[in-house]
């Protein structure tokens, strides 16, 4: 089936059709690096990565660009308050660049621990100031922007469909309805493209309008269009970006180019704690390190996120984390049981290739596994239905146990291309490299069992165990491991 994505712009699940066949231009909003990413942030980046993985699973070549905001993001996400990084720098007596670099590296570490793929390109705002200035100049020349003593503002009254993404009702809004009153601002929804006359701000650059720094919104427009073109396929972020940040990105990008900016807007919902959005400003957040200190592996948190639809609010509770841990352990137990056998990727049903077990005829191994592969693809292509995809993974393992046909490891690896829960790494971490003499004894014992020479088989077991190894005959096959 074709991939369908819920497009915030249309409010529908739309068939995904790329601009260039087989290729996808994809931009996702990155972190403002003034503090550690909290797990609400990380939920969004797991979603961002899952979207990319699903696109790649469908055979697309994805050019994924993500920004790092290291200047210009004010405390209110709009046009008031201090710059978040500048504020942290002044508080800690460190340079903004030191602050940004420290938290960027912490973010990259979180991404690695959650098996979130690095974007094709990560671009820093401070390295693209000339691109932003050029874009602002274009808006000024086209009449979409005006200059005051404090800033260059975007004139939202000049852009016909300003509120189309968020479906804002702009009628009857008075000054200050959205942001702090600025006497020279023409409309309440106008937003700053470039801030000037801010003597206390540490990071500043020369511009045609005076020394200053960029607004948050212009950064993403300038960088996304530089690397993906004036119109590209997909832009993602959190739902909190819809009414301000992404609305402003559309206005300034389309105002400058006269072209549609993005075809598909895809947004993840909040992670809630005690019915409240998790937020640094509310000081009610956990970091990934906090979860590790609580005894939860990062993959447990990832499974917790995958077991909910990305567009639904997700409540952070111990019970939900425990349920995710149970599901993950069920998968890991299966692959590690298979992982200690040389023929782990093969079916254990070699003696009944037609699918006949005893007196019961079953569909062939290939047929029943194929059904699960089709179900999995259908789930992920239905607007990234990861809860259903996880359920299918659990079901195929249960079915393998039921049929005593265990050769589904390659299928699980294929599914993990989307889920990213490190199935291969888990299996490899539990595999023991047995000494050659032990491997020889195991082979001799297996041959003895096949010829029903139970006396020799028992003697070989005792010889193996006296060498410091334990043999376990399980429904999935023989396992051998070193005594602890």
């Amino acid at each position: 089936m074709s991939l369908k994505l819920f497009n915030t712009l249309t409010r529908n699940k739309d068939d995904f059709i790329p601009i260039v066949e087989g290729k996808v231009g994809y931009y996702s909003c990155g972190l403002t690096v003034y503090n550690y990413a909290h797990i609400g942030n990380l939920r969004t980046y797991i979603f961002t990565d899952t979207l990319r993985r699903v696109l790649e699973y469908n055979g697309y070549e994805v050019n994924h660009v993500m920004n790092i905001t290291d200047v210009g993001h004010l405390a209110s996400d709009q046009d008031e308050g201090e710059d978040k990084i500048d504020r942290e720098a002044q508080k800690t007596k460190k340079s903004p660049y030191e602050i940004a670099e420290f938290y960027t590296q912490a973010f990259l570490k979180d991404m690695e621990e959650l098996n979130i793929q690095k974007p094709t390109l990560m671009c820093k705002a401070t390295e693209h100031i000339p691109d932003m200035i050029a874009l602002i100049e274009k808006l000024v020349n086209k009449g979409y922007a005006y200059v005051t003593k404090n800033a260059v503002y975007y004139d939202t009254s000049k852009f016909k469909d300003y509120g189309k993404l968020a479906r804002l009702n702009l009628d009857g809004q008075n000054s200050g309805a959205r942001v702090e009153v600025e006497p020279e601002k023409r409309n309440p929804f106008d937003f700053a493209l470039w801030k000037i006359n801010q003597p206390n701000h540490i990071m500043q650059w020369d511009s045609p309008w005076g020394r200053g720094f960029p607004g948050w919104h212009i950064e993403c427009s300038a960088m996304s269009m530089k690397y993906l073109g004036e119109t590209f396929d997909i832009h993602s972020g959190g739902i909190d970006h819809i009414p301000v940040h992404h609305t402003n990105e559309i206005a300034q990008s389309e105002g400058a180019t006269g072209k549609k900016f993005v075809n598909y807007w895809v947004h993840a919902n909040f992670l809630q704690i005690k019915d409240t959005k998790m937020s640094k400003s509310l000081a009610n957040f956990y970091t990934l390190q906090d979860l590790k200190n609580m005894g939860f592996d990062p993959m447990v948190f990832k499974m917790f996120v995958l077991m909910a639809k990305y567009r639904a609010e997700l409540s952070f509770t111990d019970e939900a984390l425990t349920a995710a841990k149970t599901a993950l352990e069920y998968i890991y137990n299966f692959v590690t049981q298979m992982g200690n056998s040389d023929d782990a990727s093969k079916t254990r049903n070699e003696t009944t290739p037609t699918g006949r077990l005893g007196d019961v005829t079953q569909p062939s191994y290939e047929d029943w596994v194929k059904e699960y592969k089709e179900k999995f693809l259908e789930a992920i292509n239905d607007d990234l239905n990861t809860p259903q995809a996880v359920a299918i993974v659990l079901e195929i393992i249960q079915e393998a146990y039921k049929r005593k046909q265990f050769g589904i490891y390659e299928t699980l690896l294929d599914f993990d291309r989307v889920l990213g829960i490190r199935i291969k790494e888990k299996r490899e971490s539990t595999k023991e490299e047995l000494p050659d003499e032990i491997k020889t004894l195991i082979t001799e014992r297996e041959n003895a069992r096949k010829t029903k020479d139970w006396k020799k088989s028992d003697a070989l077991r005792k010889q193996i165990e006296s060498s410091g190894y334990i043999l376990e005959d399980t429904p999935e096959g023989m396992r051998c491991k070193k005594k602890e």
Side-chain angles (χ1 to χ4, degrees):
M1 63 173 291
S2 63
L3 172 61
K4 291 182 178 292
L5 296 174
F6 185 85
N7 188 349
T8 304
L9 195 62
T10 64
R11 299 299 197 271
N12 288 312
K13 284 186 188 179
D14 293 339
D15 288 326
F16 176 68
I17 302 172
I19 297 168
V20 178
E21 185 176 357
K23 297 186 177 183
V24 179
Y26 173 29
Y27 185 86
S28 57
C29 283
L31 193 68
T32 300
V33 283
Y34 72 102
N35 202 335
Y36 293 104
H38 61 62
I39 59 174
N41 301 138
L42 295 174
R43 181 199 184 184
T44 299
Y45 298 117
I46 290 172
F47 146 72
T48 292
D49 182 54
T50 302
L51 174 52
R52 172 181 168 178
R53 287 172 177 270
V54 168
L55 289 164
E56 292 176 338
Y57 193 84
N58 278 273
Y60 292 109
E61 179 185 334
V62 182
N63 184 12
H64 178 201
V65 178
M66 177 188 286
N67 70 298
I68 291 293
T69 298
D70 53 357
V71 67
H73 191 164
L74 303 189
S76 71
D77 293 351
Q78 299 175 26
D79 284 332
E80 57 182 309
E82 299 173 279
D83 180 298
K84 294 182 178 184
I85 293 172
D86 196 83
R87 179 183 61 190
E88 187 68 16
Q90 298 198 43
K91 184 169 65 176
T92 60
K93 306 301 181 186
K94 295 180 179 179
S95 79
Y97 296 99
E98 289 178 300
I99 297 295
E101 181 61 20
F102 178 84
Y103 289 114
T104 296
Q105 292 305 314
F107 177 47
L108 292 174
K109 181 182 176 184
D110 286 343
M111 289 177 64
E112 168 61 26
E113 293 204 75
L114 289 167
N115 199 21
I116 295 172
Q117 300 172 111
K118 281 188 178 180
T120 313
L121 175 68
M122 293 186 75
C123 43
K124 295 181 179 180
T126 52
E127 295 176 357
H128 294 79
I129 299 299
D131 301 295
M132 299 172 205
I133 290 174
L135 183 56
I136 297 168
E137 285 185 303
K138 189 178 291 188
L139 290 168
V140 171
N141 292 337
K142 286 193 168 188
Y144 282 101
Y146 58 94
V147 183
T148 72
K149 66 180 181 180
N150 292 321
V152 181
Y153 282 104
Y154 186 93
D155 189 343
T156 55
S157 69
K158 298 291 181 66
F159 188 73
K160 181 181 177 182
D161 295 323
Y162 174 69
K164 62 184 176 183
L165 182 69
R167 303 199 174 179
L168 299 172
N169 180 7
L170 307 184
D171 296 335
Q173 294 291 331
N174 52 32
S175 182
R178 175 161 164 176
V179 296
E180 192 175 76
V181 173
E182 162 58 60
E184 293 187 83
K185 189 153 60 170
R186 296 175 183 173
N187 309 290
F189 282 82
D190 292 356
F191 57 92
L193 302 169
W194 187 264
K195 286 278 194 175
I196 54 177
N197 293 324
Q198 306 286 324
N200 294 324
H201 197 277
I202 299 173
M203 290 187 286
Q204 301 208 29
W205 295 263
D206 292 329
S207 80
W209 315 284
R211 192 159 175 79
F213 60 96
W216 176 35
H217 318 302
I218 199 67
E219 299 173 2
C220 284
S221 287
M223 291 186 285
S224 63
M225 291 196 291
K226 176 171 183 171
Y227 295 111
L228 298 173
E230 293 177 341
T231 303
F232 56 91
D233 296 297
I234 301 174
H235 195 315
S236 72
I239 61 169
D240 50 332
H241 289 156
I242 297 172
V244 181
H245 186 48
H246 289 171
T247 288
N248 291 349
E249 276 191 65
I250 290 173
Q252 62 202 8
S253 302
E254 296 186 1
T257 68
K259 301 174 184 178
K260 186 176 183 180
F261 179 38
V262 174
N263 286 336
Y264 299 86
W265 290 87
V266 192
H267 294 93
N269 211 323
F270 294 134
L271 181 63
Q272 302 278 105
I273 182 166
K274 297 181 180 178
D275 299 321
T276 303
K277 169 194 169 186
M278 192 172 291
S279 164
K280 295 185 184 79
S281 63
L282 297 175
N284 66 342
F285 66 91
Y286 292 96
T287 65
L288 194 61
Q289 185 61 51
D290 290 332
L291 296 194
K292 290 165 65 178
N293 293 343
M294 293 162 60
F296 290 102
D297 186 274
M299 287 298 101
V300 171
F301 175 69
K302 188 168 194 178
M303 178 63 82
F304 161 72
V305 170
L306 293 171
M307 289 172 70
K309 291 185 177 180
Y310 77 91
R311 289 195 292 119
E313 288 184 354
L314 177 57
S315 294
F316 178 74
T317 65
D318 289 342
E319 293 79 9
L321 268 184
T322 300
K325 183 178 180 181
T326 300
L328 187 66
E329 287 177 345
Y330 184 72
I331 297 169
Y332 282 172
N333 286 341
F334 180 85
V335 298
T336 54
Q337 287 169 1
M338 301 299 290
N340 288 320
S341 177
D342 289 339
D343 60 345
S345 64
K346 300 176 183 177
T347 175
R348 294 288 181 181
N349 193 31
E350 294 94 341
T351 57
T352 58
T354 61
R356 182 176 294 277
L357 294 177
D359 295 325
V360 181
T361 300
Q362 303 184 55
S364 71
Y365 170 78
E366 292 80 6
D367 286 345
W368 73 264
V369 172
K370 182 180 178 182
E371 289 180 11
Y372 280 96
K373 289 181 177 179
E374 291 170 350
K375 290 178 182 178
F376 185 85
L377 181 61
E378 183 178 354
I380 62 173
N381 278 1
D382 181 17
D383 193 32
L384 318 185
N385 191 341
T386 55
Q388 184 62 29
V390 169
I392 289 164
V393 172
L394 299 175
E395 287 171 13
I396 193 174
I397 292 173
Q398 186 178 38
E399 190 69 13
Y401 281 126
K402 177 181 175 182
R403 293 173 180 271
K404 294 181 168 44
Q405 293 180 321
F406 302 102
I408 62 169
Y409 175 64
E410 294 298 328
T411 300
L412 294 176
L413 277 186
D414 184 60
F415 292 167
D416 202 37
R417 289 168 54 199
V418 172
L419 301 179
I421 54 175
R422 290 198 162 123
I423 285 175
K424 181 178 181 179
E425 291 93 327
K426 186 64 178 180
R427 180 188 175 204
E428 293 297 323
S429 70
T430 57
K431 284 183 71 174
E432 290 188 45
E433 186 60 37
L434 300 175
D436 290 340
E437 60 269 24
I438 298 298
K439 290 181 180 179
T440 300
L441 292 173
I442 290 171
T443 300
E444 290 179 9
R445 179 175 179 269
E446 288 293 298
N447 291 334
R449 285 166 60 85
K450 287 178 181 178
T451 60
K452 298 186 179 181
D453 188 345
W454 307 119
K455 184 177 180 179
K456 183 177 181 180
S457 172
D458 288 343
L460 287 165
R461 170 189 278 274
K462 290 178 182 178
Q463 187 176 349
I464 292 167
E465 291 179 344
S466 67
S467 299
Y469 289 84
I470 299 172
L471 284 182
E472 297 177 352
D473 293 309
T474 75
E476 296 79 43
M478 188 278 301
R479 299 173 62 192
C480 182
K481 62 182 181 180
K482 193 172 182 65
K483 291 180 182 178
E484 295 180 358

